[in-house]
Structure formats: structure tokens, C-alpha cells
Amino acid sequence: MKQQQVNVQLSKTNKIPTVSLESAYQGNLNWLTADYPTIEGELITQTNKGYLYGGFIGINVTVPVFNGGQNERKIQSSKIQFHKKQLEQKKKKLELKKEFHQLFSNYHYNQEKVRIGYLSQKSAEENLQLSKEQLDLGSISVFDFRQVQNSYMNASLNYFTAQYELILSQVRLLKISGEILK
């Protein structure tokens, strides 16, 4: 978000006049020695020396008047990118809230599953005790007793599975809330 705000401000600076200061110093020395023929046929040696030293200072002012709307396009593009980032941030927040609410609901659902699994296991355990007494008395067969045992084992397995799912949902809640990192 900060980067997009900076981009918008930078785009706006293209419309501001700029002032620049320029300065330079230059020196030049020319030394030329040459033999020149004369009309009499002799050679005369001449030396020409040239010195050139100088400096300048200048101020340059640039005022942007019109550049085909490029500045406005850059500003609008930067604003659109900023708005796009804001929407993306809102979307991420909403997705995070949605995920948190789903995990929270799942946690309560798993709590209820554990409670029901516990009651189911206790009921199956009582049924197993009654079936054992009935088997001892001979009122049920071994096959029927075996079905009651399987029912108890399934109820116990469902109870432990529900406990495991409750622990997983609790860890997911801690993870999304950031508590697991502390």
C-alpha cells in the first residue's frame, strides 16, 4: 500500500516545474609550431600559442505544459493500482475472517462430536456389560455378543477420532490467530 501511495506521488511530480543548476569550467591550450615558406624561398619557423579558459553557470527552468496527456495517464494509472491494492487487501481480510469463522464453527462442531462420542461409548460399554451378563446366563449367542463387542469398538474408535479432530481444529485456530507462533 505504501509503495502504491509513493507511486501516485511520484506520478504527480511530473506536473511540477523543475529548476536545475548547471556549471562548468573549461581550459584549452593550443601550441602550434610550423615552418612556413617565404617568397624568397626560405623557411621561417613560427609558433602560435592560443589560450582559452572559461567557465559558465546556468539555471535551467523546465515547465511542463503539455506532453500528450502522459502525465495524467501516469497519475490515473497509479491511482488505479493503489485502488487495486486496497481491494486486494480488503479481499484478503475477508478471506481470513471467513476462514476463521469456518474454523471456529468446525471447532464447536468437533466439541459436540466429542461429547456425543463420549456418550455413545459409555452407552456401548453399558450394553457390552449387559450382553456379557446375558451371555453368561445363556440368553444370547456368541455371535450376538460379538456384534455388541464390534459396536463397542466402533463407538470407541469414533470417540477417539472425534477427539483427534477436535485437537486438529484447535491447532488450526491457534495457527490462524497467530498464537501458535508465540
Side-chain angles (χ1 to χ4, degrees):
M1 293 297 291
K2 292 286 185 187
Q3 178 67 32
Q4 293 304 321
Q5 285 177 333
V6 168
N7 287 345
V8 170
Q9 295 300 322
L10 284 175
S11 296
K12 288 181 180 180
T13 60
N14 290 335
K15 296 176 87 175
I16 298 173
T18 57
V19 177
S20 59
L21 179 65
E22 298 174 353
S23 65
Y25 180 79
Q26 181 178 359
N28 190 5
L29 171 64
N30 290 325
W31 190 293
L32 176 64
T33 303
D35 293 330
Y36 294 106
T38 61
I39 297 179
E40 292 89 26
E42 297 178 12
L43 291 176
I44 299 175
T45 303
Q46 281 187 334
T47 302
N48 289 329
K49 293 181 186 177
Y51 301 98
L52 176 63
Y53 297 102
F56 75 91
I57 295 176
I59 295 177
N60 187 10
V61 178
T62 305
V63 179
V65 177
F66 182 72
N67 65 350
Q70 290 179 2
N71 289 340
E72 284 301 319
R73 278 194 299 275
K74 285 181 183 178
I75 292 171
Q76 292 304 319
S77 175
S78 297
K79 286 180 180 179
I80 289 170
Q81 291 300 321
F82 177 71
H83 185 65
K84 184 178 174 184
K85 290 294 181 186
Q86 282 180 327
L87 291 176
E88 287 176 9
Q89 185 181 25
K90 286 180 183 178
K91 180 182 175 187
K92 292 283 185 190
K93 284 181 181 180
L94 289 174
E95 287 174 357
L96 190 62
K97 278 184 180 181
K98 175 186 161 194
E99 187 176 353
F100 178 77
H101 288 297
Q102 285 176 341
L103 289 174
F104 195 68
S105 296
N106 194 24
Y107 177 74
H108 285 297
Y109 172 74
N110 287 332
Q111 278 182 329
E112 190 64 23
K113 249 175 96 172
V114 166
R115 189 183 68 77
I116 291 171
Y118 176 75
L119 294 175
S120 176
Q121 182 193 25
K122 288 300 175 189
S123 174
E125 185 178 2
E126 289 174 9
N127 193 15
L128 180 65
Q129 290 298 325
L130 291 174
S131 296
K132 193 174 196 180
E133 291 173 5
Q134 288 177 348
L135 181 66
D136 290 342
L137 294 175
S139 58
I140 62 169
S141 68
V142 175
F143 180 74
D144 292 334
F145 181 72
R146 183 72 178 145
Q147 285 181 337
V148 172
Q149 279 182 328
N150 284 340
S151 167
Y152 172 72
M153 288 176 53
N154 285 337
S156 296
L157 181 64
N158 288 340
Y159 174 60
F160 292 128
T161 302
Q163 286 179 328
Y164 175 73
E165 288 174 359
L166 178 65
I167 292 170
L168 280 180
S169 62
Q170 184 179 11
V171 167
R172 288 182 186 126
L173 269 175
L174 290 173
K175 182 179 175 185
I176 198 169
S177 67
E179 290 294 319
I180 207 164
L181 298 175
K182 292 180 181 176

